[in-house]
Amino acid sequence: MFEEKRIKIAQTVEYLNNRKTINPKIAIVLGSGLGGLTEKIEIVDEIPYKEIPNFPVSTVQGHKGTMIFGRLNGVEVVVFNGRFHYYEGYPMDVVTYPQQILPGIGVKTVILSNAAGGMNPTFKVGDIMLIRDHINMFGNNPLLGPNDDTLGPRFPNMSEAYSQRLLKLAHQTAEKLDIHVQEGVYIGVTGPCFETPAEYKMYYILGADTVGMSTVPEAIMARYLGMEVFALSVVTDLGIVGRVEEASHEEVLAAAAKAGPKVVELIYNMLPLV
Ligand code: HPA
């Protein structure tokens, strides 16, 4: 029943294992406007998605499409420069394809980043929020359907979707670097519309601090496959009751790019202890 899927993943994994020359245990997914991290990487192998068998190709402006194997602060990493969003029309299986191939290339930890709207009234544009937990508001789940028990459990435990250990490490690192960080809950939605003021208000009442259109499916898949997850949001616009600042995609990219160096510094300095 799962034969076709297993073959597909095995082909991708085999290609990558033959082509890459280092064996990172940490994967990083770059969110909108956070491509600046790539400038810090000592690149060893850069592989365009279109050359990777069975790999999807991203369509959004501001998102590139390469898998970069390299070293950051002396630590081997594989970086996905470009992700696949549900709003692009991809099924959840495709959205989470990068995570599905990671165990096969030896990755144990996934770091996810995103640009997000902030609902918490203490948040400002440009803030970094370390993700403590998420709410899945996609109305979908990448694990729906028959379960391949060889990959992960039918009913995955999500009591610690985001590693407490890595969250603590991020706080400690931020403090050392004097980088101001927030912590909170990310709610994942389909988009592609940004929220109405009433929707921002609803999501805040539901318990979320930031809202965005990615990360949740990827975190679910990564946890299902037994990887440790750390994630953060860059607040690029505000959906705070009474002062919603509606953003355009360009403004989101600009705000993320501005906060980018802080995110890069934080991740860079965390890596040796991840
Ligand atoms: N809502 C949803 N996704 C986003 C936002 C937002 O306000 N900002 C950046 N990504």
Side-chain angles (χ1 to χ4, degrees), residues 19-219:
R19 179 142 176 201
K20 70 190 176 65
T21 54
I22 56 171
N23 301 304
K25 293 191 166 43
I26 302 169
I28 303 174
V29 178
L30 296 179
S32 305
L34 297 173
L37 186 89
T38 59
E39 286 158 28
K40 288 261 187 177
I41 305 174
E42 184 197 316
I43 298 177
V44 178
D45 311 295
E46 181 162 11
I47 310 176
Y49 291 165
K50 59 180 189 304
E51 292 178 18
I52 306 172
N54 309 325
F55 217 79
V57 174
S58 56
T59 64
V60 201
Q61 175 202 347
H63 288 265
K64 300 217 177 61
T66 60
M67 211 171 161
I68 301 172
F69 290 84
R71 287 184 196 85
L72 246 185
N73 201 6
V75 180
E76 291 185 350
V77 292
V78 53
V79 175
F80 291 102
N81 193 16
R83 60 148 58 97
F84 308 101
H85 300 86
Y86 192 54
Y87 64 73
E88 292 176 83
Y90 298 114
M92 280 291 178
D93 186 48
V94 172
V95 170
T96 59
Y97 196 70
Q99 284 69 44
Q100 294 181 59
I101 56 102
L102 288 177
I105 62 169
V107 167
K108 308 281 185 216
T109 305
V110 180
I111 297 175
L112 304 168
S113 60
N114 60 63
M119 283 92 65
N120 185 314
T122 68
F123 288 9
K124 293 186 184 61
V125 168
D127 274 357
I128 295 172
M129 186 191 84
L130 310 180
I131 299 180
R132 175 175 66 238
D133 205 349
H134 77 217
I135 298 173
N136 179 8
M137 204 62 179
F138 277 84
N140 200 345
N141 189 301
L143 306 179
L144 283 175
N147 186 54
D148 184 344
D149 295 326
T150 64
L151 297 180
R154 171 73 291 187
F155 302 109
N157 185 325
M158 293 293 278
S159 61
E160 193 184 324
Y162 299 85
S163 162
Q164 287 291 324
R165 182 183 75 83
L166 295 177
L167 188 61
K168 197 170 155 201
L169 173 65
H171 276 295
Q172 288 166 345
T173 309
E175 201 176 318
K176 260 187 226 147
L177 298 168
D178 207 15
I179 295 175
H180 171 66
V181 290
Q182 308 277 8
E183 182 189 305
V185 174
Y186 173 90
I187 189 164
V189 300
T190 66
C193 301
F194 289 122
E195 288 63 37
T196 63
E199 287 165 343
Y200 283 124
K201 182 177 175 183
M202 173 179 75
Y203 293 146
Y204 185 59
I205 291 170
L206 287 179
D209 301 287
T210 59
V211 54
M213 307 173 195
S214 66
T215 303
V216 166
E218 297 155 323

Side-chain angles (χ1 to χ4, degrees), residues 253-273:
L253 291 181
K258 210 167 148 214
K262 277 193 301 179
V263 177
V264 172
E265 205 191 343
L266 179 61
I267 294 177
Y268 182 92
N269 283 283
M270 276 174 71
L271 279 175
L273 293 170

